[in-house]
Amino acid sequence: METSPKPVTVTIDSHQISVPENTTILEAARQHGIRIPTLCHHPALSAWGGCRLCVVEVDGNPRLTASCVMPVREGMNVVTTNDGIIAARRLILEFLYAERNHNCMFCSQSGDCELQALAYELQMDHLTVPQSFEAFPVDITSEYMAFDHNRCILCGRCVRACREIAGAYVLNYQKRGIQNQIAFDLDVSRSESSCLECGVCMQLCPTGAIFSRYRTHRSVLGHPKSARQVKDSFCTGCGLMCDTQLVIEENHVIRVDGCLHSDHDGPILGQLCARGRFEILKTPGHRLLTPMIRESDGTWNPSSWKVAMDRIEKNMNGFNMGIFGLVSSRCANEQIMIFRDMMLKGWKADYLNVLEGPSLRSIADAWTELGKTFLALKESHAGRILDADHVLVVGVSAFNTQPAIGGIIRRIVLEKGVPATVIGSVDAISPRTRHYIRVTPGKEPVLVQAFLAQVLKSQHQPGTPAWESVLSEFESIDIQKSLSLAGLDASDQEIFQSAVNTFAHSQSPIIIAGRGVMGRFGVNCLRHLMLLSLTKGILPENALRMIILKPDGNSTGSLKLGIPAGNTIYRPGAWQRGVMLLEDENLSDSLVLNRLNALDFLAVITPYFPEALADKAHVLIPRPVGLEEEGTYTSLNGQENRVRQAALDRPDQVSESWQTLLALIQRTEFHPGYARWKDIHTSVMREIRAG
Ligand code: FES
């Protein structure tokens, strides 16, 4: 039985304080509102005791003690501030300043720097020790972050954050003495290293050593910290819904931090990826604040809302053929639902899909196929990866869509030695993969089928009618032929066999399926992976041991709302007139662009002027960006729905998306049963929960 720690009574600055044993002096002081300055300490990290800024006097001993690592003991008497302590702290700070270039004038972090703030607090107005002017390197090989070693104080927060929060183990110390530096892997540049660019090192850096290349000097350009707001939110980038803290100045997000304290059941506290931390700060073009109409000579001109809406009505109403709708699955569920009703019920669209449609269709169809034999099941929560004893990654070329999942896999492989198998044309978790089964691109489905057939042969399955039918389906598979077809040579085949054995003997594997097993021919492959998961039983929450990496943040919400819908097989020339609802995507590399040439009519509802559609669209209607309006998003596994509140003010000229969509739907023949935000939200939640 666990016993609670014994209380200990100590005196700190003449205050008698009772705290549990093993509490550090620093924690005890902070719990009672007594300030002790720190630098290398961070409450989200293990204590290190390296910088000595937190020194205090214990029991009158003239040798000062680092309070962040020293536990309290009964009767201890602590003094946190006197002339001697202040002088010691100031000297430590002087040495830090003297060692490298901490010329705040030229630092992007000036005004937002813990080292600088301490210099002010300790009134350090000059140095009494000689300065070193040795130049250290600056790494700007990352698109997102710079590492200026001249500003580094070697506090080790980045090293611990990389290990303890990101689980990446990329950063470490190299060299000794004055040459001591933080290094990436075996001292390569950030871009050459195994860094995932999650940015947690930057978030916890107390100086300007690691800084965002997206906000350089933002904090000193007349934006005093006092004008800042910090708002809790969550990332809608990939469906993991990691908690964030948005730092906002003048209605702009200038920084996104991972939330280090949260009640939300995310996989790892404090985790964020480059997508959630940096990509969100990018804007894909000019903001659209007024409706625009393309004239017959190709020029775009602003128009009134009425003229633009009339133009859409005239070009969409009364046409029964070739109507299509495309929606971004980054949109909130409420927007997706109204858009769906507008297109299907209002304009009788015969094609309605998300921008990355073929992948989603295969997921929906695979679940339907599985449901014909087995009960309705669902996907696993991403946190299950942490409990896995084998990870099978299939069809993932890179963890671009759900980078955080790549980070979690790396963590369990490194920390727990969990074996990882990769099936695909690229080894997405190299160099840590135990079994990499390289297949000819596009042949993943053949190999997955062979993998399943081999596991079924080696494992006894329950003799239920459902399993009997599955076994009969795979009895006749010629495994050797499949391996040859997938391009496996003799040594690959040995790896295949070893991977099958590892999977067969695992108790709680997890299967991660990526884009390589989706799309037009992916239904069977996904179903085979679902069956593979079923060979290991069903999780208590009625879930498979499987996670499907979907293309966008709210792809699962789109699926639950019945999108893709209608005839979603694209035929050239079948699209004549349509409407798109965009979020913040950069369409330049989108698969759908070629399908949008020579349309009779295209209206686009979008926050930004879509350059890629400048010669394709006819009417543009502005809408707020995601952070300017409230909306519900569904998690990657479909089991959680979270409402994200508006964090930024919407421009006065732009209506909320639901109001714009409602104004459009009222111009069709369909009259929805919802007219207020509350009704829309209620309808969405009802559908999502039933979906
Ligand atoms: Fe205690 Fe650095 S904060 S030693």
Side-chain angles (χ1 to χ4, degrees), residues 26 37-41 48-55 66-69:
L26 178 70
T38 53
L39 257 185
C40 70
H41 178 82
W48 189 52
C51 76
R52 320 298 288 180
L53 245 297
C54 65
V55 287
S67 62
C68 68
V69 283

Coordinates of all heavy atoms in Angstrom, one line a residue, residues 26 37-41 48-55 66-69, ligand 1:
L26 N 13.5 24.8 -3.3 CA 12.9 25.7 -4.3 C 11.4 25.5 -4.4 O 10.6 26.4 -4.3 CB 13.6 25.4 -5.7 CG 13.0 26.3 -6.8 CD1 13.4 27.7 -6.7 CD2 13.5 25.7 -8.2
P37 N 15.5 33.1 -7.7 CA 15.7 33.1 -9.1 C 16.3 31.7 -9.6 O 17.0 31.1 -8.8 CB 16.7 34.2 -9.3 CG 17.3 34.4 -8.0 CD 16.3 34.0 -7.0
T38 N 16.0 31.4 -10.8 CA 16.5 30.1 -11.4 C 16.9 30.3 -12.9 O 16.4 31.3 -13.5 CB 15.5 29.0 -11.4 OG1 14.3 29.5 -12.0 CG2 15.2 28.5 -9.9
L39 N 17.7 29.5 -13.4 CA 17.9 29.5 -14.9 C 17.9 28.1 -15.5 O 17.1 27.8 -16.4 CB 19.3 30.1 -15.1 CG 19.4 31.5 -15.6 CD1 20.8 31.9 -16.0 CD2 18.5 31.8 -16.8
C40 N 18.7 27.2 -14.9 CA 18.7 25.8 -15.5 C 17.4 25.0 -15.1 O 17.1 24.0 -15.7 CB 20.0 25.1 -15.2 SG 20.1 24.6 -13.5
H41 N 16.8 25.5 -14.0 CA 15.6 24.7 -13.5 C 14.4 25.0 -14.4 O 14.2 26.2 -14.8 CB 15.3 25.1 -12.1 CG 14.1 24.5 -11.5 ND1 14.2 23.2 -11.0 CD2 12.9 24.9 -11.4 CE1 12.9 22.9 -10.6 NE2 12.1 23.9 -10.8
W48 N 18.6 19.6 -12.2 CA 19.9 19.4 -12.7 C 21.0 20.1 -11.8 O 22.1 19.5 -11.6 CB 20.0 19.9 -14.1 CG 21.3 19.5 -14.8 CD1 21.8 18.3 -14.9 CD2 22.2 20.4 -15.5 NE1 23.0 18.3 -15.6 CE2 23.3 19.6 -16.0 CE3 22.3 21.8 -15.7 CZ2 24.4 20.1 -16.6 CZ3 23.3 22.3 -16.4 CH2 24.4 21.5 -16.9
G49 N 20.7 21.3 -11.3 CA 21.6 21.9 -10.4 C 22.8 22.4 -11.1 O 23.9 22.4 -10.4
G50 N 22.8 22.9 -12.3 CA 24.0 23.2 -13.0 C 24.4 24.7 -13.0 O 25.5 25.0 -13.0
C51 N 23.4 25.6 -12.9 CA 23.7 27.0 -13.1 C 24.1 27.7 -11.8 O 24.8 28.7 -11.7 CB 22.6 27.8 -13.8 SG 21.2 28.1 -12.8
R52 N 23.5 27.2 -10.7 CA 23.7 27.7 -9.3 C 23.1 29.1 -9.1 O 23.4 29.8 -8.1 CB 25.2 27.8 -8.9 CG 26.1 26.7 -9.4 CD 25.7 25.3 -8.8 NE 26.0 25.2 -7.4 CZ 25.8 24.1 -6.7 NH1 25.2 23.1 -7.3 NH2 26.1 24.0 -5.4
L53 N 22.2 29.6 -10.0 CA 21.6 30.9 -9.7 C 20.6 30.8 -8.5 O 20.3 31.8 -7.9 CB 20.8 31.2 -11.0 CG 21.2 32.5 -11.8 CD1 21.1 33.7 -10.9 CD2 22.6 32.3 -12.3
C54 N 20.2 29.6 -8.2 CA 19.2 29.4 -7.2 C 19.8 29.3 -5.8 O 19.1 28.8 -4.9 CB 18.3 28.2 -7.5 SG 19.2 26.7 -7.5
V55 N 21.1 29.6 -5.6 CA 21.7 29.3 -4.3 C 21.0 30.0 -3.2 O 20.5 31.2 -3.3 CB 23.2 29.7 -4.3 CG1 24.0 28.7 -5.2 CG2 23.4 31.1 -4.8
A66 N 22.5 24.9 -3.8 CA 21.5 25.0 -5.0 C 20.2 24.5 -4.5 O 20.0 23.3 -4.2 CB 22.0 24.2 -6.2
S67 N 19.2 25.4 -4.4 CA 17.9 25.1 -3.8 C 17.1 24.2 -4.7 O 16.2 23.5 -4.2 CB 17.1 26.4 -3.5 OG 16.9 27.1 -4.7
C68 N 17.4 24.1 -6.0 CA 16.5 23.4 -6.9 C 16.8 21.9 -6.8 O 16.0 21.1 -7.3 CB 16.7 23.8 -8.4 SG 18.3 23.4 -9.0
V69 N 17.9 21.5 -6.2 CA 18.2 20.1 -6.1 C 18.2 19.6 -4.6 O 18.3 18.4 -4.3 CB 19.5 19.7 -6.8 CG1 19.3 19.6 -8.3 CG2 20.6 20.6 -6.4
Ligands
FES1 FE1 19.2 25.7 -9.5 FE2 20.2 26.2 -11.9 S1 18.3 26.8 -11.1 S2 21.2 25.3 -10.2

